[in-house]
């Protein structure tokens, strides 16, 4: 194995076809994910059931993931446009 293969264990095509490739959602998908996570967070806060802390934690992770996806795709598009 060469040094380049150690640094990049997956080819770019394999990464894009991966089921865990969240970047494929794009900015709209990321915004929808953040919005649905916010709704779930609000619902968990208002109902205050016994599983509310764990539900709030999961909802917060969904919101964070949506914001990261949206932000990174928008920044990547802006950088591509500038160059």
């Amino acid at each position: 194995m060469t040094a380049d293969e150690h640094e990049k264990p997956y080819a770019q095509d394999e990464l894009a076809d991966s089921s865990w490739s969240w970047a494929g959602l794009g900015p709209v998908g990321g915004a929808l994910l953040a919005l649905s996570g916010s709704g779930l967070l609000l619902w968990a806060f208002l109902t205050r059931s016994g599983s509310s802390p764990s539900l709030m934690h999961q909802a917060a992770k969904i919101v964070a993931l949506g914001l990261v996806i949206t932000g990174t795709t928008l920044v990547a598009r802006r950088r591509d446009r500038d160059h």
Side-chain angles (χ1 to χ4, degrees), residues 2-19:
T2 65
D4 290 336
E5 290 173 342
H6 284 296
E7 290 179 12
K8 296 179 183 177
Y10 299 105
Q12 196 69 346
D13 296 334
E14 291 174 358
L15 211 60
D17 294 336
S18 170
S19 61

Side-chain angles (χ1 to χ4, degrees), residues 20-67:
W20 286 99
S21 180
W22 292 98
L25 292 175
V28 175
L32 288 174
L33 200 60
L35 185 63
S36 64
S38 298
L40 182 61
L41 190 61
L42 181 65
W43 181 72
F45 181 73
L46 292 177
T47 59
R48 296 184 187 186
S49 63
S51 65
S52 186
S54 64
L55 184 61
M56 286 182 178
H57 182 257
Q58 295 297 324
K61 289 195 306 187
I62 293 171
V63 170
L65 184 64
L67 291 174

